[in-house]
Amino acid sequence: MVRLPDRSGTRSHRRPGGPRARRATDRAHAAHGRRTTRAPRSAPTRRSGHPGEPEPGRISALRSALTGRSIARQVFVLQVVIVLLLVVAAVVALYLQVRHDSTQEARNRSVAVAQAFANAPGTREALSSPDPTKILQPRAEAARKATGVDFIVVMNTDGIRYTHPKPNRIGKKFVGTIAPALAGGTVVEEINGTIGRLVQAVVPIKDPDGKVVGLVSAGITTATVGGTADRQLPLVLFAAAGGLALATGGTALVSRRLLRQTHGLGPHEMTRMYEHHDAVLHAVREGVLIVSGEGRLLLANDEAHRLLDLPADAEGRHALDLGLAPDTAELLASGRVATDEVHLVKDRLLAVNQRPTDVQGGPPGSVATLRDSTELRALSGRAETARERLNMLYDAGVGIGTSLDVARTAEELAELAVPRFADFATVDLFDAVLGGGQPEGVTSLRRTASSGVREDAPLYKVGRQIKFVDSSPQARSLHSGQAVLERDLGAAPGWHAQDLERTAQVVDYGIHSLITVPLRTGSLVLGVVSFWRCEKPEPFDADELALAEELVARAAVSIDNARRYTREHSMAVALQRSLLPRRLPEQSALDIAYRYLPAQAGVGGDWFDVLPLSGARVALVVGDVVGHGLHAAATMGRLRTAVHNFSALDLPPDELLALLDELVGRIDQDETADGGSAPVTGATCLYAIYDPVSRKCTIARAGHPPPALIRPDGEVEFPDVPVGPPLGLGGLPFETADLVLEEGSRLVLYTDGLVEDRERDIDEGLALLRGALERAGESPEDTCRVVLESQLPARPSDDVALIVARTRALDADRIADWQVRNDPAAVGEVRASVSRRLTGWGLDELTFTTELILSELVTNAIRYGADPIHVRVLFDRTLICEVFDSSSTSPHLRYAAMTDEGGRGLFLVAQLADRWGTRYTPEGKVIWAEQPLP
């Protein structure tokens, strides 16, 4: 808004049609007439002058402006005064800063010199010498001259000086505070000494035990370090004088330009002209804005102030800094041509027209006019509301149901509604829905999701089980299947009956309106959604009730899909877990921990197993069937059963995988012949056998990731185990690798879901696994925990099976073995040796049966086997008897006839032993029998 001198801030809003306006018009015409009459007189003068010479008229006008009571003179004087004040302030600030810097420099230097001398080699030892002054005085003087301080004083704990620049003061009491230094601290103080104002520091000298044995003080006068101001002051004064001269010249130039821009008009003439201009400008009922080429507001009339709600100091500020809407501010700052552009400013719709001012050689900038078009606002508001609702429904279609998780889908619904539709939104579902089932009868609900503009709302928290009373809006929605609108919660007795204390807190909090909508798909009601309003004073209306119903209807489909998926997923997981081992079998060779985590996208075919074998050995197996779903889980169960059966034959790992490969091939053929699902090709397996007696682990793998081995010292490696093709391909043999493991080693078996996914390849996954195993503790349980915490994503896309086995070794005193001569008389020797060993083990109760078992087995080996014959007895969780021979003839159990002389030996062994069997080795076979311990 234009403010003219010698005028009050008030302005008449009457149109300029009265006498006052006519007088202003006459004065303006008179001013223009005088200006036009002066022009011819000055024109010849300007034409007669030479180029580059100052015009006499301008020189006299400038002299008059600078000597009279003109604006130019006032500006000149003001700027000169400001420069003088700045120069004085700079000099004072420099002096104060230099004093502060001098004192601080003195403090820092005195402390540094004192500490350096106190900690110098030989200082502490000199204090305990017969004559400390003789040693320390030369050193102190040398250090004082080198560092530039005024004195370095070494004293004892009583303050008696050992050194001083003036030798006559040695042996006298130190002047200053030393108590904090005697306590181990550092003292810095400013005092007025004989040499002037100084800063001195006192630091302790400590022996190796931390006891203070002496003190060192260093001091420096502030005058020594304070000469900077004297040296800088002339430079500052010279710079100030130069600045004053430049400011004076600049002010003169500004005054000359001001005189030229006023066209030589006097103050009274300018006042009359601007009164006329002001009367016309502010009387029109259309906003007028003039903006410079740089985007700064030069002029705004009263109507523009009213329409745009401009601040009082708007003139001179940039258009982008006026607090306008971004589109309006951008238009004014850009200066582009605009015709009847509609802009929403506050609560008004303004039609804006803008044209540049430099079309015919005028100054750069633009002029804009504003018309109030608020009558269009209602129509525009309804269109905007409809657009927002359509956008929200579209976002609900693409943003709700991104995962097949019931709780997450409910959270997406609540997050979408806040704050676009409601201030708070809560979703309550039946417990059966969360588990994938259907609600039956009247059951309580559980708060599944909650979202709000603030976190401290007194609504029920997530996870709270809620039973709504029949009069509550939520219960009415559940029973009727229709949405319920409560415009005023403070006057809703049915809602208050739910919880008198909590509902009162909700009303006091400011929540005043509620919409409840049942989550319904067909005839099935899954829960209820509540929308709460707090920030807006208006209650929900009928249009918003319809929008809430549409929004919840779309979300209900996604929640029902997630519920159905949860049900199917739970069934598949239940099937898969029923096919996995419920608990690990008892054995002593390995300390085992395991984890199995099904994928979020559906169960897969990963499995693991621990199988006790003969001779205290244990087999570990980990496998993976490619794919997800019930078919993969069922196939996994078939393969696990097959591994159980094959392991009962005591086969080596490579032979077992060969049989398993053949089985998978037959399964594929059957599936293809029946037109069933896809073949199982792609199943992988790793099979390992650990012997605690020899500490040897034999491993074979079919397309499976390699095992990891953690040595007892923590070193992690991936043993080189030959990899065979996945199961079902056939045609290629499998190879084994033999590892001798130290006791306490940890063997880590896993499936590819742990080390490989869509975002990383297996090499990166193995590197991460190595790092996790290096950080893991010694126990298998801790190893499993660390690996899963560091490796497993939040929502794994594949099953993960992990098993960690720490090896144990069977003590040598629990192993007994003998070589047996190929002579029937050697049987008695074996019985005697076994009897003595069982007595040593405290197993006298098993002596008779063990002698009988070994007699039969050794006799059969001597009669039907071949040399060499070897007997081994193991004292483990059971008593194991093993007879080795080099024959491959397999014994078999049969019932002997009454007339047969033999054939009853193995029958007796089977009756006396808990288990017995035969396994083959590269050198022959082993017949073994196990007896339970008493």
Side-chain angles (χ1 to χ4, degrees), residues 283-311:
V284 297
R285 302 306 299 169
E286 189 172 277
V288 179
L289 298 170
I290 300 179
V291 182
S292 68
E294 294 81 14
R296 297 189 176 277
L297 181 63
L298 300 180
L299 182 144
N301 66 350
D302 288 346
E303 186 68 6
H305 271 270
R306 184 183 70 83
L307 294 177
L308 296 178
D309 194 16
L310 295 176

Side-chain angles (χ1 to χ4, degrees), residues 4 22 53 110 313 316 398 438 538 541 548 570 695 703 754 847:
L4 300 178
R22 287 194 295 272
E53 292 183 1
S110 60
D313 58 346
V398 299
Q438 297 182 5
E538 303 85 5
D541 55 24
S570 300
R695 295 184 287 105
L754 184 68
T847 300

